[in-house]
Amino acid sequence: MEVDRRLVGLAVVLLIIWVGFDIASGGRFITPRNIFNLSVQTASVAVMACGMVLIIVTRHIDLSVGAILGVLAMIMGVVQTDVLPQFLDYNHPLTWILTLLVGIVLGAAIGGLQGLAVGYLGVPAFIVTLGGLLVWRGSAWWVTQGRTVAPLDHNFILLGGGIEGTIGATWSWIVALIAILAIIYAAIMERRRRLSFEFPVKPVWAEYTNTIIKGGLVLAAIATLNAYHLPTRAAERLLENKGIPVTPENLEISHGIPIPLLIVALVAIILTIVVKRTRFGRYVFAIGGNPQAAELAGINVKRMTVAVFALMGVLCAISAAISSARLQSAGNDLGTLDELRVIAAVVIGGTSLAGGVGTIYGALIGALVMQSLQSGMALLGVDTSLQSIVIGLVLVLAVFSDKYFHRRYSDPTA
């Protein structure tokens, strides 16, 4: 069936974590409400983890992503609360778009600047991004002199999920149908591509099994999200605003897919296509496999380094929008320690610190594992200091696992 054994093992670990916390919490973990909140809480780290895969695959590291998120969140907050209202009305439909564009442009500039230092000046990425962590964290405070920026634009807040930041049950099922059709189409095209090049193909039963499992997971996820209904008071206000009679039947309004989860899916799909189907993606993995050989083959390693770091900056901007929108404000502590969560998620997801090996979907599962641990411990009332200890131990274990699998891969007799 050509299943990634390490990915399957990671999925089993995630299932064990979920079941364990559910038993320990008396059935409060695996519920539609908690799964919905878990997906929203994971979104910010998951988006950055997708970019960190490319950073680590090229044998670099970025310790500044949390600080970049913080400064971009503050800047975007100032843009929509102090700058744009001078030209546009409050909650203008263009406000959130212009704000996000400002964040993306600045994120690309910050990431590109760090990439220049790494690629063209030859400064190790560890040092550049460690300095960036201090610079951008200080800049986040300097932008507003420590002031928390609020309230944010109404349309911008929808990017963080919440009661109105979802697409509802009907559109969620439509998205599920599109996803299942895409899975079937991808399986058919992959099989045809292999046959056209006379490559070995999986048995038909294996193709059907893989497709059914993926489709079943999509349906299960959508059914779970749709099973979480709006609180009664929120549903009443929503119905009143739309002029719909308030009846017991009408009060059962499903949240559906939260917008942050849609953003994560879109980022993951785009980057997966880029990695697997474009020259840029092939160059990234070629550099990670052997930078010297890649340069001798004609790849501009320096320019690629700048591009990868600039892409990381863009994803930090998107994560900053999600994080600040979810909190409905931008504070100085936003993104604190996110760099460690992102790196841990990527390493847990199977990306090798030695470079050249990594997957986007693995990083997403890794991010979900990290957030599940944190959310589960918070649900059980575990002290914050103990939570940090557990997360730290998990990170060390993930690095050890990476070294073990890398050694087994390079030397099967080890």
Side-chain angles (χ1 to χ4, degrees):
M1 292 180 65
E2 297 183 2
V3 176
D4 187 338
R5 295 180 181 178
R6 189 168 183 178
L7 185 62
V8 172
L10 186 60
V12 171
V13 169
L14 179 62
L15 181 61
I16 292 173
I17 291 173
W18 282 18
V19 172
F21 278 129
D22 192 61
I23 294 174
S25 63
R28 291 183 296 160
F29 191 85
I30 305 180
T31 62
R33 177 181 179 180
N34 194 60
I35 297 301
F36 178 91
N37 292 331
L38 190 62
S39 66
V40 174
Q41 293 164 357
T42 307
S44 176
V45 170
V47 169
M48 291 191 290
C50 291
M52 188 64 74
V53 169
L54 304 186
I55 295 285
I56 295 181
V57 162
T58 54
R59 301 190 178 189
H60 295 300
I61 197 75
D62 193 341
L63 301 177
S64 65
V65 292
I68 294 175
L69 182 152
V71 69
L72 292 177
M74 293 298 286
I75 292 174
M76 286 191 286
V78 170
V79 166
Q80 61 188 292
T81 58
D82 298 343
V83 178
L84 290 180
Q86 300 178 26
F87 310 97
L88 303 173
D89 297 331
Y90 280 101
N91 296 326
H92 192 280
L94 288 178
T95 298
W96 76 274
I97 298 176
L98 295 175
T99 300
L100 190 57
L101 286 176
V102 169
I104 289 175
V105 171
L106 287 178
I110 292 173
L113 181 63
Q114 295 188 155
L116 282 171
V118 175
Y120 285 91
L121 300 183
V123 183
F126 181 89
I127 300 300
V128 171
T129 57
L130 179 60
L133 185 153
L134 301 174
V135 170
W136 307 123
R137 182 58 64 189
S139 299
W141 186 90
W142 179 78
V143 170
T144 61
Q145 298 298 308
R147 174 175 61 91
T148 297
V149 182
L152 302 184
D153 177 77
H154 174 74
N155 296 313
F156 184 85
I157 290 175
L158 299 182
L159 297 175
I163 293 177
E164 297 184 39
T166 61
I167 63 174
T170 302
W171 279 105
S172 295
W173 286 120
I174 293 174
V175 170
L177 177 60
I178 294 173
I180 292 173
L181 292 177
I183 291 171
I184 296 173
Y185 175 78
I188 294 174
M189 295 305 297
E190 179 66 20
R191 187 175 184 85
R192 287 182 177 178
R193 191 178 297 109
R194 288 195 172 199
L195 289 173
S196 65
F197 288 101
E198 298 182 354
F199 288 166
V201 294
K202 290 179 286 187
V204 176
W205 66 266
E207 294 280 11
Y208 279 114
T209 302
N210 282 341
T211 303
I212 291 173
I213 291 175
K214 292 176 181 178
L217 290 175
V218 170
L219 292 176
I222 301 303
T224 301
L225 295 174
N226 282 339
Y228 179 35
H229 297 141
L230 292 177
T232 303
R233 287 298 305 156
E236 289 177 353
R237 288 195 301 269
L238 184 62
L239 292 175
E240 290 171 357
N241 292 336
K242 294 183 177 182
I244 301 175
V246 178
T247 63
E249 295 78 13
N250 291 340
L251 286 176
E252 294 186 359
I253 303 175
S254 298
H255 278 82
I257 303 175
I259 292 177
L261 187 58
L262 286 178
I263 295 174
V264 172
L266 184 61
V267 169
I269 291 171
I270 291 175
L271 286 186
T272 299
I273 293 174
V274 167
V275 166
K276 292 187 175 182
R277 295 284 182 262
T278 67
R279 184 181 300 176
F280 177 86
R282 291 193 292 270
Y283 284 0
V284 165
F285 280 85
I287 292 171
N290 192 322
Q292 292 77 23
E295 191 165 9
L296 291 174
I299 299 175
N300 192 327
V301 176
K302 296 178 180 178
R303 187 170 62 190
M304 285 293 299
T305 300
V306 175
V308 170
F309 274 91
L311 176 61
M312 186 73 250
V314 170
L315 296 179
C316 286
I318 296 174
S319 292
I322 294 174
S323 297
S324 58
R326 185 167 67 89
L327 298 176
Q328 301 185 16
S329 63
N332 295 292
D333 60 343
L334 206 60
T336 302
L337 296 182
D338 271 5
E339 53 276 343
L340 300 184
R341 297 186 184 95
V342 170
I343 293 171
V346 170
V347 175
I348 290 173
T351 300
S352 174
L353 290 172
V357 177
T359 59
I360 301 298
Y361 49 82
L364 296 181
I365 298 179
L368 190 56
V369 168
M370 291 294 295
Q371 188 59 50
S372 296
L373 286 172
Q374 190 169 353
S375 298
M377 288 187 290
L379 187 65
L380 296 178
V382 177
D383 188 77
T384 304
S385 58
L386 292 179
Q387 293 183 32
S388 299
I389 292 173
V390 172
I391 298 299
L393 291 175
V394 170
L395 177 58
V396 173
L397 182 61
V399 175
F400 170 77
S401 175
D402 167 66
K403 293 294 183 182
Y404 173 77
F405 277 98
H406 181 70
R407 184 169 62 250
R408 289 291 300 270
Y409 176 80
S410 59
D411 183 10
T413 63

